[in-house]
Every structure is written in C-alpha cells, then in structure tokens.
Amino acid sequence: MQVKCVICDVVEEIEDYSLQAKRLRNRKIHMYLCQNCNDRIKENTLKRHATGKFQLYEEKKKVDELI
Ligand SMILES: [Zn+2]
C-alpha cells in the first residue's frame, strides 16, 4: 500500500502485509512517518533524553505512537 509521510509528504510504498500496514489499516496508528523522519525523531528523542529534561516514560509513549 502507498503511504504518505505526515511530516515531509513523501509517498512511500510499504508491504501490504507488514505490521505497519496492518496497524495503519486498523487505525492503531493514524499517521505514517518515512524512514528519514523516523530517524530524525528518534535522534531528537535520544538527545532530549540526554538533557534529562523530559521524563522517560512520557517520551517513550510518544515514540510508540509515532512508529
Ligand atoms: Zn518524512
């Protein structure tokens, strides 16, 4: 299936039967992030963890929703 990244609008093809496609169809996740944006968010999250300003639990929850 074709999916559009919510951040950079790039359209990517993902496997119809991949876990991600399944989750999108079941509305367990409402948006798709391309690999680039995913990596960027992961990086930012790790950086924020390093600063210690954010609670680990909340960050983890946010990331789960994005993936
Ligand atoms: Zn993207």
Side-chain angles (χ1 to χ4, degrees), residues 10-49:
V10 85
V11 175
E12 287 187 342
E13 184 79 33
I14 59 171
E15 278 290 333
D16 278 350
Y17 298 103
S18 68
L19 182 65
Q20 198 170 33
K22 209 165 131 190
R23 289 170 78 193
L24 277 165
R25 272 198 302 265
N26 291 341
R27 302 278 172 213
K28 281 183 184 147
I29 48 174
H30 298 277
M31 55 191 198
Y32 174 80
L33 291 182
C34 69
Q35 198 59 54
N36 279 345
C37 295
N38 234 327
D39 286 349
R40 210 163 48 211
I41 283 173
K42 216 189 285 172
E43 229 170 75
N44 288 342
T45 304
L46 289 175
K47 263 184 227 155
R48 273 181 291 171
H49 278 176

